[in-house]
Amino acid sequence: MKAAFYTLGCKVNQYETQALGEALAKEGFLIVPETQEADVYIVNSCTVTAESDKKTRQAVRRFKREHPESTVVLTGCMPQAYPETAAELIQADIVAGNRNNDRLPEMIKSYLENKNRTVSVKEHENDETFTVCSISSFDERTRAAIKIEDGCNRFCSYCIIPYARGRVRSKPLDEIKKEAQTLADNGFEEIVLVGINLSSYGTDCGLTLCDAVKAVCEVERIKRVRLGSLEPDHMTDEIIAGLKAQKKLCPQFHISLQSGCSATLKRMNRHYDAPEYERICNALRSNFEDCTITTDVMVGFAGETDEEFAESLEFVKTIGFEKVHVFPYSQREGTRAAKFPNQLDRRTKQERAKAMADTANEIRRAFLNSQIGKTVEVLAETKAEDGSCTGYTANYTPVKIQNGAECSRFYTVKITAADDDSCYGEII
Ligand code: SF4
């Protein structure tokens, strides 16, 4: 039996696809790319925006249309948040949610035997504990993700994720360490820790993010540890000091901003304002040498005035982010903000997204150019047909090595040029 995955969304979903794939392989399935013929197609969905839902629906319908004899499975955040809408997608033979992931191989095997359509989305519960799953490999060859946390307690007014993921729960430290050791034994030298609200790690069990980072850093063959997206107000002086003590931690921090305007942040039910955010960035930059800060910015939130948008844009320039992911606000049914007055039209959101992205790209270009002349350490990751190899520095600056590098090796590289997306350099 062959099974193929189509994964939408964040690194947590990618991790869960890997874990599900390994669980299915143990049951005798061969995992193949989704472009190939398979007996089972699994859509691991995302529901963060209306666009993600659209892609999920399209994928489910496409797999059934192109492979009518196959079994199509819909799982992940979309059915978890909107089970009734998901159940209506009749092209899916199995509809499950991320809460059912540990039972999914069993559900698939049972469907293959009796062919009874199964719709079973188990709801999240407040006292739920972390469902331990683990991986031994990852799609990317040099860097593997470890999911250390699930769920979110924050209920930002625009976000459906707490409904799709339940409350904060943390992976036990010994499990994290064991998984990092397995990945290191399988050749991974770089680990990225991910979660739904990563910086909440440990709040349910008396630990902190620093404990999880330390557990991975203690694995001898791991050379670099990175962190996924972090909430600014979780980055207290104590946490920053604890992270600084871990020498393998890369000086690259993705600190979720959403808006640079304090009034907008308040309506979003974010737990910080713009001055506090700026203070945290300054603290990170003064504690970590060559530190880069990246972020997400939402534009066109309900009621965002021209002045508020201008303030947000100005703030992005003030911080000088090394990279920004810009996205327009998407109304999600079931959230408070979906009912807020003064929703913006699509065109205004798109214009703001473009203006914000143009500003962010200009800052990034200046940053990449400022790296020319520096000597950096690069872990080479992917090889192009022309023989060049792309990799990343510790602070996640992309570097194309032009003189004969091999993947999965560290090189000392002199940066000689840069363009809009990357630096270029030569091994010295
Ligand atoms: S912190 Fe806010 S935006 Fe992030 S997952 Fe939680 S509710 Fe959503």
Side-chain angles (χ1 to χ4, degrees):
M1 282 276 166
K2 290 181 183 170
F5 284 90
Y6 180 75
T7 307
L8 289 153
C10 63
K11 271 265 188 281
V12 172
N13 253 22
Q14 289 171 29
Y15 172 93
E16 287 174 351
T17 288
Q18 177 72 31
L20 279 169
E22 292 189 17
L24 281 174
K26 276 193 195 135
E27 299 291 335
F29 284 84
L30 178 68
I31 309 301
V32 296
E34 52 106 357
T35 46
Q36 288 184 17
E37 209 49 55
D39 303 286
V40 183
Y41 289 92
I42 301 154
V43 177
N44 192 5
S45 65
C46 166
T47 193
V48 76
T49 60
E51 188 59 27
S52 328
D53 282 358
K54 191 172 152 198
K55 284 185 186 162
T56 296
R57 286 194 298 272
Q58 284 172 342
V60 167
R61 290 181 182 134
R62 175 171 62 86
F63 286 127
K64 202 54 170 184
R65 190 176 61 245
E66 291 175 1
H67 312 278
E69 299 305 316
S70 69
T71 299
V72 175
V73 182
L74 170 58
T75 187
C77 289
M78 191 273 219
Q80 192 70 50
Y82 302 109
E84 284 156 24
T85 315
E88 284 166 11
L89 263 175
I90 47 150
Q91 294 86 353
D93 302 299
I94 300 174
V95 177
N98 50 43
R99 179 87 204 272
N100 304 70
N101 275 351
D102 54 338
R103 282 196 50 239
L104 203 62
E106 205 184 298
M107 289 168 79
I108 292 172
K109 282 202 310 185
S110 154
Y111 177 85
L112 290 171
E113 274 163 28
N114 59 36
K115 299 281 177 186
N116 288 333
R117 184 171 194 248
T118 314
V119 178
S120 172
V121 180
K122 194 173 169 193
E123 275 184 33
H124 284 292
E125 288 152 311
N126 284 346
D127 57 354
E128 201 178 321
T129 52
F130 191 90
T131 307
V132 175
C133 58
S134 60
I135 62 170
S136 60
S137 187
F138 208 65
D139 264 359
E140 293 169 33
R141 277 174 301 173
T142 49
R143 184 186 316 118
I146 299 181
K147 174 182 148 187
I148 65 165
E149 184 275 342
D150 207 338
C152 180
N153 299 347
R154 304 209 115 179
F155 294 92
C156 298
S157 63
Y158 54 83
C159 183
I160 194 68
I161 296 307
Y163 304 92
R165 285 282 176 177
R167 303 290 79 79
V168 169
R169 46 210 191 274
S170 308
K171 189 170 203 159
L173 278 181
D174 55 341
E175 294 289 344
I176 296 174
K177 197 155 187 170
K178 205 159 69 185
E179 193 169 8
Q181 185 64 61
T182 304
L183 289 163
D185 292 346
N186 291 338
F188 291 91
E189 294 185 302
E190 190 170 304
I191 297 292
V192 52
L193 300 181
V194 298
I196 294 299
N197 188 330
L198 178 67
S199 43
S200 288
Y201 178 83
T203 51
D204 57 329
C205 59
L207 296 169
T208 72
L209 183 62
C210 302
D211 296 307
V213 173
K214 184 166 178 277
V216 179
C217 288
E218 279 169 0
V219 175
E220 207 177 309
R221 267 177 282 176
I222 302 286
K223 303 247 175 64
R224 284 177 176 178
V225 179
R226 295 185 189 280
L227 296 172
S229 182
L230 304 163
E231 288 298 299
D233 55 303
H234 287 156
M235 303 307 284
T236 59
D237 291 344
E238 206 182 346
I239 292 288
I240 292 175
L243 294 177
K244 191 181 175 185
Q246 300 306 322
K247 300 300 168 210
K248 293 180 186 174
L249 181 70
C250 292
Q252 171 225 346
F253 298 95
H254 189 88
I255 313 286
S256 176
L257 173 65
Q258 309 307 347
S259 171
C261 163
S262 296
T264 315
L265 286 170
K266 195 153 190 228
R267 288 201 307 283
M268 289 176 165
N269 193 31
R270 301 289 288 167
H271 297 241
Y272 53 89
D273 58 16
E276 188 189 352
Y277 186 100
E278 186 175 356
R279 189 192 67 72
I280 289 152
C281 292
N282 291 341
L284 286 167
R285 283 181 169 147
S286 59
N287 276 283
F288 291 87
E289 203 183 332
D290 285 330
C291 173
T292 55
I293 298 179
T294 57
T295 199
D296 297 306
V297 176
M298 182 192 295
V299 296
F301 183 60
E304 187 187 64
T305 60
D306 287 346
E307 293 72 27
E308 287 183 354
F309 174 67
E311 205 176 315
S312 191
L313 192 70
E314 211 42 52
F315 188 77
V316 165
K317 288 186 202 161
T318 304
I319 300 295
F321 294 102
E322 277 74 15
K323 193 168 186 176
V324 183
H325 171 229
V326 179
F327 61 104
Y329 165 62
S330 174
Q331 245 172 305
R332 306 305 288 131
E333 195 191 318
T335 61
R336 283 203 295 124
K339 294 200 175 76
F340 283 0
N342 307 322
Q343 300 283 339
L344 273 69
D345 58 75
R346 194 160 165 260
R347 193 162 155 213
T348 308
K349 288 190 217 175
Q350 279 174 344
E351 281 169 6
R352 288 184 184 176
K354 184 176 181 314
M356 185 64 83
D358 286 350
T359 297
N361 291 341
E362 208 175 296
I363 300 168
R364 179 160 177 79
R365 204 174 306 130
F367 163 70
L368 292 171
N369 270 287
S370 73
Q371 303 304 295
I372 297 172
K374 285 192 177 177
T375 300
V376 293
E377 192 181 40
V378 178
L379 174 56
E381 292 191 7
T382 44
K383 199 153 189 156
E385 277 175 11
D386 65 2
S388 67
C389 215
T390 298
Y392 290 86
T393 63
N395 70 9
Y396 213 61
T397 304
V399 179
K400 280 196 182 118
I401 305 171
Q402 291 165 300
N403 57 342
E406 291 304 321
C407 291
S408 305
R409 283 186 57 191
F410 283 92
Y411 293 96
T412 304
V413 175
K414 174 123 185 186
I415 309 277
T416 53
D419 62 18
D420 290 1
D421 303 315
S422 182
C423 288
Y424 295 80
E426 304 212 329
I427 301 165
I428 52 170

